[in-house]
Amino acid sequence: MKLIVLAIDDNPVNLKLVAELLRQAGHVVLCAEDACAALQLLETHLPDVVLTDISMPGMDGLQLTQHLKADARLRHLPVIALTASAMKGDEARILKAGCDGYISKPFDTRLFPAQVEDVVARAATVPSA
Amino acid sequence: MLFETAPKNQERDMDLSATADAGETADALIVACPQGKVVSWSRAAEKLFGYPASEACGQVMSELLGSADAAPDLQAEAADVVYEAARRHRDGSLLQVNVRRQLRRDAAGIVTQVEYSERDVTQLKVARDAKLVAARFGSLLELTPDATLIVNAVGRIVLANSQAARAFGYERASLIGRPVEVLLPERFRTAHARHRSGFSQQPRPRTMGAGLELFGRRVDGQEFPVEISLAPLPTDEGQMVISAVRDISDRKRAERKFRDLLEAAPDAMVIVRDDGTIAMVNSQLERLFGHPRAQLLGEPVELLMPERYRGAHSTHRGRFFDQPRTRSMGAGLQLHGLRQDGSEFPIEISLSPLETEEGLFVSGAIRDATERRLLEQTLQEASRLKSQFLASMSHELRTPLNGIIGFSEFLIDGKAGELNARQKEFLGDVLASGRHLLGLINDVLDLSKIEAGRMDVTPERFDLAAAVEEVCSIASRTVSAKTITLAHALSGPTQVMLDRHKFMQILYNLLSNALKFTDDGGRIDVQVEVSAELMMVRVQDTGIGIRAEDLPRLFREFQQLDTGTARRHQGTGLGLALTRRLVELQDGTIEVASAPGEGSTFTVQLPLPGRATGAGLP
C-alpha cells in the first residue's frame, strides 16, 4: 500500500528523518514546516494521512487537527500526532482534539513506517461520520 | 471646731490625767455634758480608745465610740448605773467595756455632767464567749476540712479549729482573744474592721469579698490567697460570726500556670464558656484582633467573627458542647476573623474541650492564616511553573534526540548505503549515547513527576512471566558484549494485579544496575515469588558488591558510589533512586544485601491489593 503522507514539523531534522523513513518504506511524502504551509499544500493535494508535530509556532498541531476535522473535504483524513512531550494528560488532549493516533518522539525508526500504516488501515475500516 | 475646743479643754484634761496616772489599770474617766458631748477625757481614756483628749473633747461620745448605750434618763436615773457595752477604738477595732455611769447634779437637782468610768473587759468577754462556743461547736468544727473561726461581737477570735491554727501558723490557744484582723495583711485591716461592722448590721450567710482577691497572713508574715465564707451566729452573748477560710494557693497557682501557659502559646487563644461568652484570652489574641482584653471578657465569642458567620456559629457551638472533642474548626472551609477595626483576615482554628471545676469550657487556638494562604498560592504557582518547565524541557530535549537516535538507526540499518565496520561501530556509539541520554531524561522526568505527585499508579491484570521475560530480554541486549549468565525463575501465580509499566521499569532498573556492576563470566538471577498479598522480586548478582558504609546512600538521587576501582560506571545515580520512589509509590519496600566482592541482592516487595480483594473477580 503506497501512501501519500503529509508530514508537518517545525524541526527540519525531524521532518527530514520522517520523510526519509517513509520514502524508504515506499511512500510519497509531502513536507511542510508549519501548519500554514500544510494548509496551503492541502488546497492542491489530498494525502492519505497527515502526520503532524504538536508543538509548533503559530498554529500548533492540535489546532491544525481541529481545523482539518471541521473541514468537510478533509475531515476523513487520518491525523497522527508526533509528540515529544511526556506529561500526564497529553495523550488525552491529543485524542480529544480529534487525532486518530499518536507516536511519541523519539520513535523507533524500525517500527515507525508500520505504525503509520496501522493507523491508516484502522481509519479505513471505521467509516468517518 | 476641734481647734476651738481643744484649748478650752486642755486644763481639765490635765486635771483628770493626774488622777488617771494612779495605775496602769486605771479606769478610763470620761465626762460628758448632758447633751452627750465629751468635756473631759482622761489619760486612761486616751490609752483605751486611742483618741487624744484634744481630739475627743467636743465630740458626741456615742458617735466617737460607736456606742449604742441607752441614753441616761436625766430625770429618774439613779446616781450610779453599771453595765457592759461595746466601744469602737480609734483604729476601728471593738472593745468590750464595763461602764459605771454617774450623773452629777447641781444644787437645783439639774444634771450638769455625766461621768463615765470605763474598764476594758474585752478579754473577760472573750473568755466567756470562748467557753460558750467551745461547748457548743468545738468538736463539730474539728470535723470540717476548712480552717474555721468564730468571732465574737467585738471582733475577737473566740474559737479556732486546729485547721485554722495550722493554716495561719499559730498555736491554737494563742489565737483566742486576738482581733480577727491579725489574720489579714496589714493593708486590709482597717477596711476589714469597717466591713465587719457592716456585716454585723446586716448579717446573712455569704462569700466574702466576691470578685476580690483576698489574702490571709500567717504568723510569720507570709501571705496566701484565701476564699472566705461567712455566716451570722446569734448567741446570748451577742451577734457572733462563723467564718470558714480556704487556702486557695493551689488553685491560684494552677490558674496562674494556666494563664502563663496561655500566654506562652504561640497562637492566639480564647477560652469560651458553654454560654458562648469569653472567659479568658491571651495577649496574642488581643494583638491579633485589636481588641483590648477588657472589651472581650464576658462578651459573646461571635464578636470575633464577621456578621455572616454568627448565626451558624452559635448552632455549631452548641453542638460542640454536646460532643466535645479536640478538632480543627470548619475543616475544608475558609474561616475569617474580624478585627476591631472591621477588617477581616483568614484564620485557622483548633478547638479543645477544657474541663474545669467551674464546668466545661472550650479553648480555641487561632492562627492568622494570611501568610499561609499566600504561601499556598505561591507554592501552587511554583508547582505550575515547574510542571510547565518540565513539559517544555521534555519537549526541547527529546526533539533533537529524535534526530540523533533516528538518523543513527537509519544509517546503521544501511538505509543510506552500506557502512564499513568502523563506521558502524562508531555510529553504534552515537546511538547508544543518544539512548542513554534519553533514559536519563526520562528518569529525571519520572522523579520530578513523583515529587510533584503527578505520577499515578494504574494497576492492571497482566502475566508476570511474560513481563519478566520481556524485561530480561531487553536488558540482556544492552550488554551483548559481556558474557554474563542471566537466569530467571518464577513461583506462585503468574497473573497479578499491578502497574505493569512500573513493574517493568523497576525490574529493568535493577537488572541494568546488576549488569553494569557484574564482570564477564558473572551471573545474575532474577527470582519472582507471588503470594496471596505480596509480589516479591529478587535480583542477585555476582558483581563487585557494595561496602556497608555506602548502603545508606545507595537509594539517594545523584549518589553514584565510588566503586574503589579505576573504572567509571555509566549513569548518573538516578536509577536506584527512581526505583525506590517507584516502589514506595506502590506502598512497597526495597532492600539490599551486599558485601564487597561477593555481589549484591536487591529485594523488592510490592503489596497486591488486587489479589486480596479481587480474588473472586473474573
Side-chain angles (χ1 to χ4, degrees), chain A residues 11 13-14 16-17 20-21 24 53 55 84-88 105-110, chain B residues 387 391 394-395 398-399 402-403 405-407 409-410 413 415 435 438 445 449 454 456:
Chain A
N11 182 310
V13 176
N14 280 330
K16 190 161 73 181
L17 178 63
E20 287 296 335
L21 287 170
Q24 283 278 333
D53 185 25
S55 173
S85 52
M87 298 309 285
K88 196 160 84 179
K105 281 194 278 194
F107 44 76
D108 186 326
T109 53
R110 286 145 201 172
Chain B
S387 301
S394 150
H395 182 263
R398 280 158 184 260
T399 300
N402 192 45
I405 293 171
F407 276 116
E409 281 177 356
F410 192 87
D413 290 349
K415 287 175 179 157
R435 283 190 178 140
L438 179 63
L445 276 172
K449 278 194 258 183
R454 296 167 68 102
D456 290 333

Side-chain angles (χ1 to χ4, degrees), chain B residues 203-279:
Chain B
R204 59 183 169 79
R206 61 185 182 85
T207 305
M208 190 162 121
L212 296 178
E213 301 250 296
L214 299 177
F215 292 92
R217 180 184 191 271
R218 290 172 53 86
V219 68
D220 59 11
Q222 207 186 335
E223 295 183 12
F224 58 100
V226 291
E227 194 176 70
I228 303 176
S229 338
L230 301 174
L233 187 69
T235 70
D236 295 342
E237 292 291 339
Q239 181 69 262
M240 297 196 201
V241 175
I242 182 162
S243 138
V245 181
R246 184 169 294 177
D247 181 347
I248 54 170
S249 303
D250 287 350
R251 197 206 302 167
K252 287 282 169 188
R253 247 195 307 277
E255 271 177 27
R256 188 164 316 121
K257 211 179 280 173
F258 182 68
R259 226 177 279 271
D260 289 350
L261 215 68
L262 272 193
E263 287 299 324
D267 295 328
M269 302 284 300
V270 57
I271 311 290
V272 178
R273 299 185 189 90
D274 61 358
D275 67 355
T277 57
I278 298 172

Side-chain angles (χ1 to χ4, degrees), chain B residues 258-453:
Chain B
F258 182 68
R259 226 177 279 271
D260 289 350
L261 215 68
L262 272 193
E263 287 299 324
D267 295 328
M269 302 284 300
V270 57
I271 311 290
V272 178
R273 299 185 189 90
D274 61 358
D275 67 355
T277 57
I278 298 172
M280 255 176 164
V281 299
N282 63 2
S283 33
Q284 288 83 318
L285 187 125
E286 290 180 282
R287 270 198 304 279
L288 186 58
F289 286 87
H291 282 284
R293 197 169 300 226
Q295 273 181 17
L296 294 172
L297 299 182
E299 295 298 318
V301 67
E302 281 79 13
L303 186 71
L304 299 175
M305 60 190 69
E307 191 77 46
R308 61 184 183 280
Y309 297 144
R310 291 182 184 171
H313 184 266
S314 55
T315 317
H316 287 141
R317 182 159 45 72
R319 233 176 278 151
F320 183 86
F321 277 101
D322 289 343
Q323 287 190 310
R325 63 188 165 78
T326 300
R327 60 179 185 81
S328 65
M329 190 163 124
L333 295 179
Q334 299 252 328
L335 301 175
H336 290 89
L338 180 68
R339 291 195 194 91
Q340 192 195 24
D341 63 11
S343 59
E344 293 183 15
F345 60 105
I347 52 175
E348 284 164 338
I349 307 184
S350 57
L351 302 174
S352 307
L354 195 66
E355 301 225 31
T356 73
E357 285 177 0
E358 296 160 63
L360 181 63
F361 288 67
V362 54
S363 84
I366 303 170
R367 189 168 291 181
D368 185 344
T370 311
E371 301 235 326
R372 227 197 66 161
R373 300 263 161 90
L374 278 177
L375 192 66
E376 277 171 5
Q377 280 169 7
T378 313
L379 282 176
Q380 272 170 8
E381 176 64 9
S383 163
R384 198 186 60 79
L385 287 175
K386 185 181 169 185
S387 301
Q388 210 172 35
F389 170 76
L390 285 175
S392 98
M393 187 188 88
S394 150
H395 182 263
E396 295 307 320
L397 295 178
R398 280 158 184 260
T399 300
L401 269 177
N402 192 45
I404 295 169
I405 293 171
F407 276 116
S408 304
E409 281 177 356
F410 192 87
L411 289 173
I412 287 171
D413 290 349
K415 287 175 179 157
E418 278 307 309
L419 304 179
N420 66 34
R422 275 171 69 79
Q423 288 167 334
K424 223 172 179 170
E425 182 197 332
F426 296 158
L427 262 177
D429 292 340
V430 172
L431 181 58
S433 300
R435 283 190 178 140
H436 182 63
L437 188 53
L438 179 63
L440 295 179
I441 290 168
N442 288 342
D443 282 358
V444 170
L445 276 172
D446 281 351
L447 273 174
S448 310
K449 278 194 258 183
I450 294 173
E451 268 176 12

